[in-house]
Amino acid sequence: MSKPNILLITSDQQHWNTIGAFNPELKTPNLDRLAREGTTFSRAYCPSPVCTPSRSSIITGMYPSQHGAWTLGTKLLEDRHTVGEDLQASGYRTALIGKAHFQPLRGTDEYPSLEAYPLLQDLEFWRSFHGPYYGFDHVELARNHTNEAHVGQHYALWMEDKGCTNWRDYFLPPTGTMDPSVTHTWAIPEEFHYNTWIAERTNAWLEHYRDQEEPFFLWASFFDPHPDYLVPEPWDKLYDPNTLTIPGLVDGEHDHNPPHFRMTQEQEPDFAHLLETGHGIHGYRSHLVPDDEAKQLVATYYGMISLMDKYIGKILDKLDELGLTENTIVVFTTDHGHFFGQHGLQYKGGFHYEDLIRLPFLVRYPGQVPAGAQNPAIQSLVDLAPTFLSLCGIEPPPGMTGVDQSDVWRGLQSSARDHALCEFRHEPTTIHQKTYVDARYKLTVYYRQTYGELFDLQEDPGELRNRWADPDYAGLKSELLLKYAWAELGKEAMPMPRVWHA
């Protein structure tokens, strides 16, 4: 049997319950197709609720505290071992199309960044650069979410090559000329949207690999539905804001939570005591949004998902057209979740509710992974690298600390892990927390703080009653703290086996 191909498709900042097959308020026929033809894992988690750490974990098979890209504004150091290197050594070709975000938008002499200004927008550089990059033979990159001024790299070149010479009209100053007051409806023609670019270039590489008869690991990395909330016509009107279920704050739910939860519900909260590096801290602000605006945000967010789904479908159709479907492992997931009103919160931050750390997670591998199944076995993005290697007949290197899920995916084993860990270290000491979650309970601890969180996900799936300080839960909290300590010990890397007695 020939080596299996791997197609990883990711969105950016997508709530776990935004697939039409499981949420009838959304239209996602192509993700629904993956759910029918593969297995949906309902308990998948990110290792960090922000982009760079989580994405770096996907390719290293290690946690952020291990691979070193611990928050936004850091980089994955180039000497870190990645799954692409192991696949290349076994004859695979590797490519990434879309968002990488392994490096920050600013670099220094000591820590230069390929994804930083001004190189980000040096189009002549990107015309000739396609890798290698973190174990990928070939990359085609961009960094902007919707109309951000960070636009450039290969995406800008593609727009120009497609005849969109006025592409700057659709992006914010100082790069572009778009009016910053415009919301929700993005004037960019769909033919020049980055979803079109990602699908077109992914499909071109699928054709290349088929023609060359090369096994491949190809990552199609979409940018949506990450805010800002903008989508082209007609997707901006696909959903009526007044017919959607809009999540919101439940009175009193933050009364027993750590103080930063309650502060998000103030008009002008002061989080200055948490600032440590002098850089922005995601989520530590007022989350109050007028009701009408909250409704429109959800409608636009859903429209972004449906538009992305259309182009995921084009990639799946290309696999069929090229005769690659039967021998290709397809995984769809995201880097982390998203708040759009749940618990009174918006976007992301140091709030480890299921909405933010739980992920959509679909796996299709015809004849190998059960079709139409739903599986509650706990998954983590750190498991992708060792699992991909195992499915390709390659022994995962001992430095990877994710677990091999290949037998779980194939339905041969009920589970490979009994917990997941999520890390959020957004400042060196003031914003530093970790969450342990198992089949029933979730525990969150904060560095040098006596407050924390304990939720019973079975009795309180909405996570409305924090039991951390509840005396009736004192024994359970002690037990979970011990299990968390064991989990930390258990994820330590062993770069080599013990080969002798001394």
Side-chain angles (χ1 to χ4, degrees):
M1 182 177 177
S2 59
K3 296 177 179 179
N5 306 307
I6 303 167
L7 174 61
L8 174 62
I9 305 173
T10 57
S11 59
D12 191 347
Q13 197 162 317
Q14 183 175 354
H15 190 277
W16 67 268
N17 192 28
T18 52
I19 294 177
F22 312 107
N23 183 345
E25 293 193 357
L26 280 102
K27 300 176 178 69
T28 58
N30 296 293
L31 292 178
D32 297 355
R33 171 187 171 187
L34 279 180
R36 288 193 308 272
E37 297 175 353
T39 294
T40 301
F41 288 94
S42 58
R43 294 292 303 279
Y45 291 90
C46 63
S48 174
V50 288
C51 297
T52 299
S54 205
R55 290 169 175 273
S56 297
S57 290
I58 288 174
I59 60 172
T60 62
M62 303 182 78
Y63 289 87
S65 56
Q66 298 169 328
H67 60 57
W70 53 278
T71 193
L72 298 172
T74 68
K75 68 182 287 187
L76 181 65
L77 297 177
E78 287 86 353
D79 63 355
R80 298 304 191 252
H81 185 79
T82 66
V83 64
E85 297 172 54
D86 295 311
L87 289 165
Q88 288 171 347
S90 292
Y92 277 76
R93 297 296 304 277
T94 59
L96 166 61
I97 310 295
K99 178 175 177 176
H101 204 169
F102 304 137
Q103 299 190 357
L105 287 166
R106 287 283 183 267
T108 67
D109 291 341
E110 187 176 3
Y111 300 104
S113 171
L114 200 64
E115 301 183 46
Y117 288 96
L119 189 62
L120 186 73
Q121 295 173 332
D122 182 349
L123 299 191
E124 287 310 306
F125 171 82
W126 294 103
R127 194 176 297 279
S128 60
F129 178 83
H130 291 92
Y133 197 55
Y134 291 106
F136 293 102
D137 300 318
H138 182 90
V139 294
E140 296 179 36
L141 305 178
R143 272 300 297 270
N144 57 291
H145 307 103
T146 62
N147 66 339
E148 286 179 340
H150 312 320
V151 62
Q153 297 172 287
H154 298 105
Y155 174 44
L157 287 170
W158 175 84
M159 285 189 284
E160 290 190 352
D161 291 344
K162 289 291 179 179
C164 186
T165 55
N166 68 323
W167 59 269
R168 295 177 186 271
D169 293 347
Y170 307 118
F171 299 92
L172 293 175
T175 304
T177 60
M178 182 175 169
D179 182 352
S181 68
V182 174
T183 58
H184 300 294
T185 301
W186 195 8
I188 191 170
E190 187 178 323
E191 63 182 306
F192 302 127
H193 192 278
Y194 43 57
N195 288 348
T196 309
W197 166 62
I198 292 168
E200 179 183 297
R201 297 306 302 150
T202 297
N203 287 349
W205 279 94
L206 289 174
E207 289 184 356
H208 174 81
Y209 294 138
R210 192 279 311 268
D211 293 345
Q212 298 298 315
E213 298 183 346
E214 295 172 323
F216 61 83
F217 168 43
L218 178 56
W219 184 355
S221 181
F222 287 87
F223 297 85
D224 285 354
H226 188 296
D228 284 339
Y229 297 95
L230 279 172
V231 70
E233 297 178 337
W235 306 91
D236 60 327
K237 300 295 191 298
L238 184 63
Y239 296 96
D240 180 351
N242 295 309
T243 65
L244 299 176
T245 302
I246 309 300
L249 178 73
V250 174
D251 287 344
E253 68 168 293
H254 293 319
D255 288 353
H256 301 289
N257 281 342
H260 63 285
F261 287 80
R262 296 189 297 276
M263 293 173 68
T264 64
Q265 305 307 301
E266 300 172 3
Q267 286 287 353
E268 297 181 0
D270 183 3
F271 286 105
H273 63 289
L274 297 179
L275 285 170
E276 193 171 5
T277 61
H279 301 296
I281 48 178
H282 282 70
Y284 294 84
R285 53 176 174 76
S286 176
H287 286 237
L288 299 178
V289 176
D291 288 346
D292 288 348
E293 177 66 6
K295 292 178 180 180
Q296 187 58 60
L297 292 179
V298 177
T300 306
Y301 185 76
Y302 285 4
M304 294 167 76
I305 292 171
S306 290
L307 173 59
M308 177 181 64
D309 178 85
K310 172 183 174 178
Y311 288 90
I312 291 173
K314 291 184 179 295
I315 296 172
L316 298 178
D317 289 345
K318 179 61 71 170
L319 283 176
D320 290 345
E321 175 191 324
L322 297 174
L324 294 171
T325 298
E326 295 302 309
N327 196 41
T328 300
I329 303 158
V330 177
V331 173
F332 171 80
T333 188
T334 192
D335 52 1
H336 54 80
H338 178 67
F339 295 112
F340 48 92
Q342 297 89 346
H343 309 284
L345 300 171
Q346 297 288 338
Y347 307 154
K348 59 192 173 190
F351 320 98
H352 283 188
Y353 290 117
E354 295 288 277
D355 306 284
L356 186 59
I357 70 172
R358 189 172 162 192
L359 316 170
F361 199 94
L362 309 173
V363 180
R364 186 186 75 178
Y365 187 11
Q368 297 286 328
V369 170
Q374 295 187 51
N375 192 322
I378 294 175
Q379 308 286 312
S380 174
L381 294 182
V382 297
D383 302 337
L384 285 177
T387 303
F388 286 156
L389 293 174
S390 180
L391 288 168
C392 295
I394 304 167
E395 184 71 24
M400 287 186 178
T401 52
V403 302
D404 176 6
Q405 297 271 4
S406 57
D407 282 346
V408 178
W409 288 9
R410 290 184 290 212
L412 304 176
Q413 182 179 328
S414 61
S415 63
R417 57 163 67 246
D418 61 8
H419 69 274
L421 290 171
C422 183
E423 307 176 343
F424 186 59
R425 189 173 190 176
H426 204 35
E427 292 280 40
T429 65
T430 58
I431 304 177
H432 187 188
Q433 66 198 69
K434 293 190 181 183
T435 291
Y436 168 93
V437 58
D438 64 19
R440 178 169 179 175
Y441 298 106
K442 177 187 288 182
L443 181 87
T444 300
V445 297
Y446 293 81
Y447 183 55
R448 292 181 177 173
Q449 299 293 343
T450 57
Y451 55 66
E453 297 148 46
L454 195 169
F455 291 105
D456 183 340
L457 299 177
Q458 177 177 298
E459 299 299 320
D460 179 26
E463 299 174 275
L464 301 177
R465 299 184 296 275
N466 180 11
R467 302 296 192 177
W468 177 268
D470 188 332
D472 292 340
Y473 283 73
L476 175 63
K477 183 170 80 170
S478 294
E479 178 184 338
L480 291 173
L481 285 168
L482 182 58
K483 287 183 176 180
Y484 163 69
W486 290 344
E488 284 291 334
L489 292 170
K491 77 175 177 61
E492 291 182 2
M494 290 188 289
M496 66 166 287
R498 189 179 183 191
V499 297
W500 197 240
H501 68 277

